[in-house]
Amino acid sequence: MTGRGGGWLRLAPPVTLALMLGPVLAGLAGTLAPALMQDARGFATLADWPGLAGAVWLSLTTGIGSTVLGLAATLLLVAGLHGTRIFAALTRAISPLLAVPHAAAALGIAFLIAPSGWIARALSPWATGWDSPPDLLILNGPAGVALTLGLVAKEVPFLLLMTLAALPQTDARRRLMLTASLGYGRIAGFAFAVLPALYRQIRLPVYAVLAYAMTAVEMAMILGPTRPPTLSVQIVLWMSHPDLAYRATASAGAVLQLGLVVAALLGWRGAEMLAARALRALAGAGRRGRGLDGTLRPVAGGLAVGLVAVLAAGLAGLAVWSVAGLWQFPDALPETLSLATWTRAAPGLAQAAAVSAGLALAATVVALALVLACLEAEARHGLRPGSRALWLLYLPLIVPQVAFLPGLQLMALLTGAEGTGLAVAAAHLVFVLPYVFLSLASPFRAWDGRIAVAAQALGAGPGRIFWRLRLPMLLRPVLTAAAVGVAVSVGQYLPTLMIGGGRVVSLTTEAVALSSGGNRRVVGAYAILQMALPALAFGLALALPALVYRHRRGMAVAA
């Protein structure tokens, strides 16, 4: 189905790329300009800041460390358990966690591991002897251990789903059968025969994870060190400082942060080449590695169970705190349950939820329309996006938010758009678009083209085929992509804070702001509602196709 009608669709891919990449490039320019003004005074101020070395070190260690651990855990899970019933069950348990916003996950982990958290309560006083919360610096520790573990817990579900999506393209089953017939162990066979092809497919998601981990703001503000904080957090503090002179310092810091990410990505690429060489050397040595299975497969199972348990317990802790009455240490559960917190906070919760929902709907609807137009243009005109297009798609996820959002904020300020919902929704669109595209592209391209050929033979045009056949049959993946877009938008902290200028208050910005206070009940209520919006979107994505096609069972399960 090529070349008939819809010529305007050819404009969809360049328009989409412009809307996605234009703000990134303009924001980078807007960030660089203040940093270079007044004889690069911003860089001089930045260099004089006594916490610079510590902040840079924290950004590098927490970002690279969490990415290494997250990738290793993901590959170990897939290598050791893929194809087993345990793996299928774990995948179903981990998948919903992908929709949990970063801030909510961080708050849940904080409630779990804090000195007065659920773990300490469960062990006290019978195992620890503690009758009051111990004076231990578990959260916000200077080495960033809590932040690193939090990043690992949040990014493993993303990397796992990206890996599972790429695995069918590697013909893993036949490769593993071949290595098994040659006497290799399961994990060794996976490493030698599947991993090289698999890693090429997940390289860009790994780069996106590395860039995010080095520049995360909301998770670093909740779990990370404070003196000094990570460089990205310090940049945000400078940007929000009432003295405008700090803007130049923040811009210089953003440029430095971008340089750190680029250096880390180059270093990661070098490490990839060294690892590939080492893997070839091991394969050439003829080692079968059968002994690895007995040791590493239980470790993989323990990792998966531990990951799900930590996140689930943390999120359950948020829910309990939101309805907790009197809850003294070391009681494992509150003495009473009450909806008083929800009642008191209802006006603020309703307003923040409405803002979050409005931003998410606006960004998701526009993103969905653009993505559908791009994919339909591919189908009608026989366009074949190459690897460069995939790189461009990932660019907004790889370039640190904190590197170009200050520039966008400056432009929004100059144009009078700062603090408006429309400007914030446009900023969300930059991050929602790639995820919606990645979620919908494969199901859209996999649609059986013979149906279109049959429809053409009956006289249907391309537009009729799209609206009456392709779109209804792809209802579930379209709604799932929309749910992913809603989840991404609801979780956006930095774009809402900076472009909104503090006047656009969403559930995420309010939850992070409240996290520095001591009222866990209110924080729990905001975090629960923050998770509820994506959960509602995913629930609708499952329920609506089943309802619409309840008399057409085949279409109800199409994905």
Side-chain angles (χ1 to χ4, degrees), residues 371-542:
V371 169
L372 284 172
C374 289
L375 294 172
E376 181 65 8
E378 279 185 33
R380 290 194 193 186
H381 302 293
L383 304 177
R384 292 290 180 270
S387 58
R388 289 183 181 178
L390 200 58
W391 270 95
L392 292 176
L393 189 63
Y394 269 94
L395 197 60
L397 308 182
I398 293 176
V399 176
Q401 290 186 8
V402 78
F404 67 90
L405 283 176
L408 276 187
Q409 185 191 33
L410 179 62
M411 292 182 181
L413 189 63
L414 294 175
T415 58
E418 190 197 39
T420 64
L422 188 62
V424 176
H428 283 204
L429 179 64
V430 176
F431 306 101
V432 170
L433 251 173
Y435 284 104
V436 171
F437 195 99
L438 292 170
S439 302
L440 188 55
S442 295
F444 195 97
R445 291 166 179 159
W447 187 68
D448 192 345
R450 293 175 298 180
I451 299 173
V453 173
Q456 280 181 309
L458 295 173
R464 189 177 175 84
I465 293 172
F466 175 77
W467 290 108
R468 301 298 297 273
L469 290 174
R470 188 189 291 266
L471 204 54
M473 294 182 72
L474 293 174
L475 181 60
R476 174 171 286 186
V478 167
L479 291 178
T480 302
V484 171
V486 169
V488 172
S489 175
V490 170
Q492 292 300 316
Y493 170 71
L494 205 53
T496 311
L497 179 72
M498 299 186 75
I499 307 300
R503 296 192 292 278
V504 178
V505 178
S506 70
L507 290 169
T508 301
T509 58
E510 198 65 5
V512 175
L514 290 169
S515 66
S516 59
N519 196 334
R520 292 186 175 187
R521 294 168 178 80
V522 178
V523 174
Y526 272 92
I528 289 298
L529 208 51
Q530 190 193 11
M531 291 185 291
L533 285 181
L536 177 62
F538 279 101
L540 290 175
L542 291 175

Side-chain angles (χ1 to χ4, degrees), residues 56-65 67-68 199 206-215 256-272 398 400:
V56 168
W57 176 250
L58 278 171
S59 295
L60 289 171
T61 53
T62 57
I64 296 174
T67 306
V68 169
Y199 189 78
V206 171
Y207 289 176
V209 167
L210 176 60
Y212 173 80
M214 288 184 64
T215 60
L256 175 60
Q257 181 74 80
L258 178 61
L260 289 175
V261 171
V262 172
L265 289 173
L266 292 175
W268 189 276
R269 179 65 185 135
E272 286 175 1
I398 293 176

Side-chain angles (χ1 to χ4, degrees), residues 62-91:
T62 57
I64 296 174
S66 63
T67 306
V68 169
L69 292 175
L71 180 62
T74 302
L75 294 179
L76 186 57
L77 281 174
V78 178
L81 302 177
H82 181 254
T84 65
R85 292 182 179 179
I86 297 175
F87 187 80
L90 289 172
T91 304

